Amino acid sequence: MEDGGTRHHDCRVDMMEEEGEPLTGGDGLTGAGVILIPKLPHVEFSLECRDLIGSGRDRKPNALVQVAVIDPREQFLVSHACTEIVEGSRDPLFLTGVTFPPEYPASPETLVKLTVYDVRDKARDNSSFLGSATFSVSDLLRSKDDQLTLNLRSSDGVLAVGTVLVSRVNMGEMEEGDMDHITADVQQAQKCTLVCESSQGTPNDKDNSPLTSAVFKNPVCKVYKFQTVDSKWMLVREQMEECTLSFSIPRQLLHLYIQEDMRRIQELSDLGELSPHWDNLRKEVIARYGQVIAVYQETLAELNKITGPSFKPSCSKAQRYLEFIPINLHTQRMRVTCPRQTDAFYDVITVGAPAAHFQGFKGGGLQRLLSRHEAEKKSFSTAYQCIYYSPEHTAKAQEVLHSVGHLQPLISGLADQLLQAAQQHSMAGLREALKTLAGKTEQFVHALKDELVKSALLALHAAQPGYVTKNQNQTLPGHQGHSHQDHPSPSQRGQQGQSQPQNPGHSPGQPSATDSPMVVCNNVDGGSQTAPIREDGQAPLKNQDSIPCHKEYDEEEWDRVWADVAKSLNCVIAMVDKLQEQEPININQEQPIPKQVLADVITSHNPEGDWREQLCPLLVRLKECVAEVVVRARRAMTFVLLQEAACSIPQGLFLKQRRDVVFSQALAALACGFVMRLYAGMEDKGFLRQLHLVGLVAQFESLLSTYSEEIGMLEDMEVGISDLHRVVFKITQAKTDDPCDLQPLVIGRRDHYTVEVPLPRLAFQTLPHEIKEGKALQVYPVLFNVGINEQQTIADRFGDISLQERINQRNFEILDSYYKSLRDKVPSECLPSFQTQMDLKDLLGTLGQNVVTKKRKNVEILWLAGTICRRLNGIRFTSCKSAKDRTSMSVTLEQCALLRDEHQLNKDYFIRALDCMRREGCRIENVQKNIKCRKYAFNMLQLMAFPKIYRPPEGTYGKVDS
């Protein structure tokens, strides 16, 4: 822009357009720019003007300085930075400083142009040119006292319109003398803060390590000086970064989802031949799974094309291919340096509420949809002639499938190890391998000790072809021949249940009332037998199970097959004992070996022969028994899941997709927070002890309203956060220190995931033994929500806030339970110390009182929950719809509250510091990254409904597309 013209005063938008790196490969992603802030700044300086001459005769200017760089090699002007507006002053002191990234090296040839504008109308971005000055970086580096005083010249280069003072800022450690001194010639109203754009500080800063740079990218940093109560200075660094896990975790989850569903299709195919009714249901379920897999594969392919910044901007939250990606996920760290104190830092992860924005919220969110679907599933089971299985039973079926699939190869491998030890005649190796084999085999047997497997085998038997014919041939004498249809209609089943006499038969597997997943089971003659009481204590629904019991089915067969595994193991143990020339020891007390069996086993093998030859047939038999059990158990549990899926078509699979989407966003945020907390606590022995003894609390703060679409978002978020209970973390040693080998890895299945976090060898070796041995590290997610916007005002007065009340009450109980467990297992010395000495128990008591208090927009719940989380060494998250507007208000408020409570920020400057962070800090940069506009998406009417402390400064908000 030519000097002398009017211009848009916010030149940082232009700068980001020139320097930003757009996302590519996904719809809607090219619109958000990103600021490339370097790790090691070369030069930083602050600006101050003197004796400015305004465009009007008696008018004091509203000054703003644009900073541009003239590259001597390319000879063109690059917009670089911009200060805030200082209103009505001829001697403005700008709180915002300037930093140079590596692409503008501090060389003698580098020129910096400062252009001062008078902003006449902030609302219309109308400004006029006042004057400009140019200097080289070498001029500043060689200047006396690190200061330059330059004359500002008019557009014709003749008239002087004032001066500008350029002062180099040293962002290293602060000396005591620097802290005690306050410059006398700085106006009282302006001396409270100094803001400097920076990257991360000095080279020895631990946040610059390769460990953090592998996962956290594109840092944006602001630096402030704030006045304390004793008139000293504190240095505050505010840093925001993207996280590579925004995309890598969802990609991994999609891959796991696809693998899991493909295994399910294979398992359904392996059920073998079924009657026409069940075969048709199987085909329909497989087709539905195929559709889901195709969608997930397409989504994964699109995600693999995306390059660029590691975050999804809020303007892309409803994009189909990006629905698994968390919205606007960033880390934010505030680091505080005070005289005579150790540096302190405070972390928070900001992310849009995990929710299925692409699918919408017309019917509500997951919490409401799942409750409604579970109620409807019972009637679906009648229509589809299936047994109704509760969510607990389907989860158990999935657990059994995973256990047998996981343990069978382990048992087989351990059997081979035992044979290898026998071949080497190593008794120590033999006993060690046997001990491990026995443990895994007993674990295998225990996993199958469930009536669900037994009853499901009976149900599967009844669903096979030829079942009707066999029953017709087995009509009891004295009974009239009854042609019992394979699959009677619901009306026919009802008539049968009313007209036929009840026989003394039994339900499949004779499960107990508490364990049985059945509602009712008809016997061969069509009579409806008595069904066990349902888990909710109500009478069972009649005729809901269309699977009759088969008289010819040997119900004890499963018990025999299952017990053969334990007997085979005991034979192996007996042989090893004999080889060691000891008395046989039976370590499996559940399955004692008859003396005659032991004698047969021992005498049937040549005691003088080779150890391997004597053990080999016994281990082959063990493997065969395990394989037979696996085949039967897998088919039985797959049939349970077939019925559950058949009763759920099509809504159940849609809900599964929605839950996958929400969980993916939630897990990406949790993994990001866990990694950040782990990296920060690597040298804290108390934290590491707490980590492996109890685990960490992950506290999610939500600012969603309980009205309109946002209530659906909150219902999604509630389920997504709750599902994080299924996640554990493990720390592993990285193969190399390469960034690719330091990326967390997700393994597991939908009902249980493990996130493995690799560390470099040297860092890994410093960990406690329990963590290095691969102990699963627990995380306890809790969610607290308080709506603060105008929609919450409507909900408070005319709507329903029961969802918010229930969420807060339930999660308070989880948090309180975690604290009690922590108190019992971890010494209080392991927890961080704070200046505010209020006891944790008292804080929890106050939080509990606030949770049950009927008070509108009770944001004290959020403040207390956040304080407790930090006192518990936890992981802090803050969310709203997009994580850029309400979230920014909350994050900056929490930062200033911490400065006030923990670092003696002068209370007279609390609001000034808050406005400075909101106007020029990292959060306004976050807004710019998301929507390419430095305006929070609020209007005046909305802000009237906000609590005052959550309102942004004037001129920083407006109507924008968010």
Side-chain angles (χ1 to χ4, degrees):
M1 175 173 294
E2 296 297 328
D3 292 347
T6 60
R7 62 181 300 280
H8 190 298
H9 73 262
D10 199 344
C11 67
R12 281 164 292 193
V13 175
D14 304 324
M15 174 193 69
M16 288 183 225
E17 288 177 351
E18 294 175 17
E19 298 180 13
E21 180 184 349
L23 282 164
T24 59
D27 293 341
L29 282 181
T30 57
V34 57
I35 309 171
L36 298 178
I37 301 295
K39 280 290 183 184
L40 299 175
H42 293 273
V43 178
E44 295 167 335
F45 57 85
S46 61
L47 297 171
E48 180 180 355
C49 292
R50 303 283 177 85
D51 304 321
L52 287 182
I53 299 176
S55 52
R57 189 171 186 180
D58 298 323
R59 180 178 175 274
K60 295 181 179 180
N62 298 327
L64 168 146
V65 180
Q66 176 193 357
V67 182
V69 175
I70 304 174
D71 190 329
R73 295 166 297 180
E74 302 294 338
Q75 290 297 317
F76 63 82
L77 199 67
V78 179
S79 180
H80 178 64
C82 198
T83 68
E84 82 281 10
I85 302 169
V86 178
E87 299 184 19
S89 174
R90 298 189 186 277
D91 304 311
L93 171 67
F94 297 99
L95 309 181
T96 307
V98 180
T99 186
F100 282 101
E103 53 263 37
Y104 303 117
S107 65
E109 295 81 12
T110 303
L111 300 178
V112 180
K113 182 177 182 180
L114 307 176
T115 307
V116 183
Y117 292 90
D118 179 9
V119 181
R120 298 178 179 180
D121 189 341
K122 289 190 295 183
R124 297 183 180 180
D125 297 331
N126 183 22
S127 59
S128 60
F129 172 80
L130 290 182
S132 64
T134 302
F135 68 96
S136 69
V137 172
S138 59
D139 291 339
L140 179 60
L141 295 177
R142 291 196 301 263
S143 62
K144 184 179 180 181
D145 299 327
D146 288 332
Q147 286 188 346
L148 290 175
T149 301
L150 308 172
N151 289 324
L152 292 169
R153 297 289 180 178
S154 59
S155 56
D156 56 12
V158 176
L159 183 64
V161 295
T163 59
V164 58
L165 180 65
V166 182
S167 302
R168 190 179 178 194
V169 177
N170 182 5
M171 303 310 300
E173 294 184 1
M174 304 178 68
E175 300 293 338
E176 182 69 24
D178 297 333
M179 304 298 291
D180 293 333
H181 179 67
I182 297 179
T183 305
D185 60 353
V186 178
Q187 297 180 13
Q188 182 69 23
Q190 298 179 346
K191 70 181 180 182
C192 64
T193 60
L194 170 65
V195 188
C196 297
E197 294 186 9
S198 178
S199 63
Q200 184 52 29
T202 58
N204 60 357
D205 196 325
K206 68 177 182 179
D207 290 333
N208 279 322
S209 69
L211 182 63
T212 58
S213 61
V215 178
F216 303 112
K217 303 289 185 181
N218 298 331
V220 175
C221 185
K222 303 286 183 172
V223 182
Y224 313 84
K225 282 183 180 178
F226 292 135
Q227 187 179 349
T228 63
V229 292
D230 54 357
S231 298
K232 300 183 184 227
W233 291 105
M234 73 170 83
L235 178 65
V236 179
R237 294 179 177 276
E238 185 187 36
Q239 176 171 314
M240 177 181 69
E241 289 182 292
E242 301 165 15
C243 182
T244 61
L245 305 186
S246 286
F247 282 84
S248 71
I249 293 293
R251 286 188 184 113
Q252 293 181 66
L253 279 176
L254 276 167
H255 183 69
L256 292 174
Y257 292 156
I258 292 168
Q259 285 186 325
E260 183 176 344
D261 289 347
M262 291 179 73
R263 283 196 304 268
R264 186 60 39 77
I265 289 177
Q266 185 60 49
E267 289 164 353
L268 289 171
S269 301
D270 291 343
L271 279 176
E273 191 177 3
L274 298 176
S275 64
H277 172 78
W278 289 108
D279 192 48
N280 289 333
L281 283 179
R282 172 170 58 180
K283 290 177 181 177
E284 187 174 358
V285 170
I286 288 177
R288 292 284 183 178
Y289 274 119
Q291 293 172 5
V292 173
I293 290 172
V295 171
Y296 285 5
Q297 288 175 332
E298 184 180 4
T299 300
L300 183 58
E302 291 298 322
L303 289 181
N304 288 333
K305 298 177 184 177
I306 293 176
T307 60
S310 303
F311 83 105
K312 178 176 81 173
S314 62
C315 57
S316 300
K317 57 178 167 282
Q319 294 294 325
R320 174 189 166 189
Y321 295 132
L322 299 175
E323 62 177 343
F324 288 87
I325 310 300
I327 301 167
N328 193 20
L329 175 62
H330 283 81
T331 64
Q332 182 145 334
R333 168 170 292 175
M334 180 179 71
R335 190 164 188 167
V336 185
T337 301
C338 291
R340 300 181 300 275
Q341 291 184 13
T342 304
D343 283 11
F345 58 86
Y346 307 91
D347 296 339
V348 63
I349 291 83
T350 60
V351 62
H357 292 273
F358 171 72
Q359 299 180 32
F361 308 96
K362 187 176 182 180
L366 273 172
Q367 188 271 334
R368 194 187 331 172
L369 293 171
L370 288 170
S371 298
R372 185 188 307 154
H373 176 66
E374 197 58 39
E376 293 173 346
K377 213 162 67 169
K378 296 180 181 180
S379 62
F380 291 160
S381 65
T382 299
Y384 281 90
Q385 303 172 18
C386 304
I387 297 172
Y388 168 72
Y389 289 98
S390 68
E392 292 75 20
H393 286 109
T394 54
K396 179 64 179 178
Q398 292 171 338
E399 181 184 341
V400 170
L401 278 172
H402 174 75
S403 295
V404 297
H406 173 69
L407 291 172
Q408 183 187 16
L410 286 180
I411 292 171
S412 179
L414 290 168
D416 293 339
Q417 290 181 22
L418 192 65
L419 284 177
Q420 185 177 5
Q423 187 172 5
Q424 297 171 353
H425 280 246
S426 169
M427 184 52 66
L430 207 62
R431 301 301 298 183
E432 183 65 27
L434 178 63
K435 180 181 178 181
T436 309
L437 175 65
K440 293 299 180 183
T441 306
E442 289 174 358
Q443 185 180 344
F444 175 84
V445 172
H446 180 74
L448 299 170
K449 194 176 181 180
D450 196 289
E451 287 292 338
L452 178 64
V453 182
K454 190 174 181 179
S455 60
L457 280 170
L458 179 59
L460 174 60
H461 179 74
Q464 293 172 346
Y467 171 68
V468 176
T469 303
K470 292 178 182 178
N471 278 292
Q472 288 173 339
N473 294 332
Q474 294 293 332
T475 304
L476 294 175
H479 284 258
Q480 183 180 1
H482 178 71
S483 179
H484 183 79
Q485 297 180 17
D486 238 350
H487 308 286
S489 67
S491 60
Q492 288 173 321
R493 281 201 313 276
Q495 292 169 2
Q496 291 170 0
Q498 295 170 7
S499 62
Q500 297 295 332
Q502 292 197 2
N503 291 325
H506 50 80
S507 61
Q510 287 288 8
S512 66
T514 57
D515 292 337
S516 174
M518 312 322 163
V519 176
V520 72
C521 183
N522 298 326
N523 63 17
V524 173
D525 295 319
S528 177
Q529 66 183 53
T530 303
I533 299 298
R534 283 164 43 189
E535 292 182 356
D536 56 11
Q538 300 178 10
L541 300 176
K542 291 187 177 181
N543 304 316
Q544 193 141 359
D545 180 9
S546 65
I547 304 177
C549 299
H550 195 306
K551 277 191 172 183
E552 288 191 342
Y553 181 73
D554 185 354
E555 297 181 18
E556 296 181 359
E557 182 181 1
W558 167 250
D559 293 333
R560 291 194 297 271
V561 173
W562 173 66
D564 281 347
V565 175
K567 292 178 180 178
S568 299
L569 173 65
N570 285 332
C571 290
V572 173
I573 293 171
M575 179 56 69
V576 173
D577 288 338
K578 178 187 178 299
L579 293 175
Q580 199 177 8
E581 297 182 351
Q582 294 180 352
E583 290 294 328
I585 300 175
N586 174 30
I587 67 172
N588 189 334
Q589 300 298 325
E590 291 187 6
Q591 300 291 337
I593 308 174
K595 292 182 179 179
Q596 185 58 44
V597 173
L598 270 180
D600 293 343
V601 169
I602 294 172
T603 59
S604 63
H605 296 82
N606 181 8
E608 301 300 329
D610 183 71
W611 287 7
R612 191 180 192 280
E613 291 179 357
Q614 296 182 65
L615 277 173
C616 186
L618 299 179
L619 290 171
V620 169
R621 176 57 182 162
L622 175 62
K623 289 182 181 181
E624 290 173 347
C625 291
V626 169
E628 185 176 1
V629 168
V630 167
V631 169
R632 291 172 182 261
R634 183 172 286 155
R635 294 178 72 234
M637 296 300 93
T638 300
F639 190 64
V640 169
L641 299 179
L642 169 62
Q643 294 178 86
E644 193 273 339
C647 294
S648 301
I649 292 175
Q651 185 65 15
L653 290 179
F654 291 152
L655 288 179
K656 187 184 77 167
Q657 285 181 266
R658 188 182 191 100
R659 200 165 187 170
D660 287 348
V661 166
V662 175
F663 178 76
S664 172
Q665 298 177 27
L667 180 59
L670 178 65
C672 171
F674 181 89
V675 170
M676 188 180 194
R677 187 65 190 88
L678 175 67
Y679 288 177
M682 287 294 296
E683 299 176 2
D684 186 342
K685 293 182 178 179
F687 164 75
L688 294 174
R689 184 177 180 185
Q690 173 189 350
L691 180 61
H692 74 79
L693 285 177
V694 185
L696 300 180
V697 65
Q699 184 251 325
F700 289 81
E701 171 187 311
S702 169
L703 299 160
L704 294 172
S705 66
T706 54
Y707 183 78
S708 188
E709 281 194 345
E710 288 198 4
I711 196 170
M713 297 177 202
L714 183 57
E715 289 170 340
D716 273 355
M717 186 176 186
E718 178 191 11
V719 175
I721 300 306
S722 178
D723 282 348
L724 293 176
H725 284 97
R726 301 182 275 131
V727 178
V728 297
F729 289 81
K730 288 185 179 180
I731 313 300
T732 61
Q733 181 174 321
K735 296 178 182 178
T736 70
D737 291 354
D738 187 271
C740 294
D741 291 329
L742 296 176
Q743 298 298 315
L745 176 68
V746 185
I747 58 175
R749 61 194 189 281
R750 281 185 177 89
D751 56 335
H752 183 79
Y753 287 104
T754 299
V755 181
E756 296 183 348
V757 181
L759 294 178
R761 182 183 61 84
L762 293 178
F764 182 79
Q765 294 303 322
T766 65
L767 297 174
H769 175 75
E770 295 84 353
I771 297 179
K772 289 192 291 186
E773 287 297 307
K775 182 176 181 180
L777 309 176
Q778 302 290 330
V779 174
Y780 300 86
V782 292
L783 169 65
F784 291 91
N785 184 86
V786 176
I788 63 172
N789 65 0
E790 77 287 354
Q791 290 187 328
Q792 188 60 44
T793 301
I794 298 173
D796 287 338
R797 295 182 179 178
F798 311 110
D800 181 10
I801 61 171
S802 59
L803 173 64
Q804 175 174 285
E805 293 174 340
R806 180 177 55 77
I807 288 174
N808 291 342
Q809 178 61 44
R810 177 187 174 191
N811 284 274
F812 167 74
E813 293 168 359
I814 297 173
L815 185 61
D816 188 54
S817 175
Y818 171 83
Y819 164 70
K820 291 175 181 177
S821 177
L822 182 69
R823 181 188 58 191
D824 295 340
K825 297 179 181 179
V826 177
S828 59
E829 294 79 19
C830 292
L831 299 178
S833 59
F834 284 81
Q835 294 294 321
T836 50
Q837 296 299 321
M838 188 173 183
D839 186 70
L840 261 171
K841 185 177 180 180
D842 295 336
L843 284 171
L844 280 162
T846 305
L847 176 60
Q849 293 172 4
N850 276 274
V851 164
V852 299
T853 300
K854 301 290 184 180
K855 180 181 178 182
R856 295 175 181 174
K857 299 184 180 179
N858 187 6
V859 290
E860 190 172 353
I861 291 174
L862 303 180
W863 301 345
L864 286 165
T867 299
I868 292 168
C869 174
R870 294 194 185 279
R871 296 282 291 270
L872 291 174
N873 259 333
I875 311 169
R876 278 276 295 115
F877 299 83
T878 299
S879 296
C880 61
K881 182 177 180 180
S882 62
K884 67 177 179 60
D885 301 310
R886 282 168 284 179
T887 294
S888 295
M889 301 302 104
S890 176
V891 168
T892 49
L893 175 60
E894 182 180 24
Q895 290 181 165
C896 287
L898 286 166
L899 294 176
R900 176 195 61 199
D901 299 338
E902 301 297 327
H903 301 282
Q904 291 77 51
L905 174 67
N906 193 319
K907 64 180 181 179
D908 293 335
Y909 298 121
F910 179 85
I911 297 298
R912 293 179 184 177
L914 186 62
D915 284 356
C916 187
M917 286 185 175
R918 290 173 175 174
R919 191 184 295 274
E920 300 298 335
C922 286
R923 298 316 304 178
I924 198 68
E925 303 294 348
N926 182 269
V927 174
Q928 170 71 51
K929 290 176 68 173
N930 277 272
I931 60 174
K932 298 191 70 176
C933 177
R934 298 174 67 84
K935 297 284 186 182
Y936 297 112
F938 303 129
N939 59 48
M940 182 61 71
L941 184 62
Q942 288 175 314
L943 292 177
M944 289 175 64
F946 276 48
K948 288 185 178 179
I949 203 69
Y950 285 89
R951 298 174 186 174
E954 183 182 359
T956 62
Y957 57 87
K959 185 178 180 180
V960 293
D961 294 330
S962 61

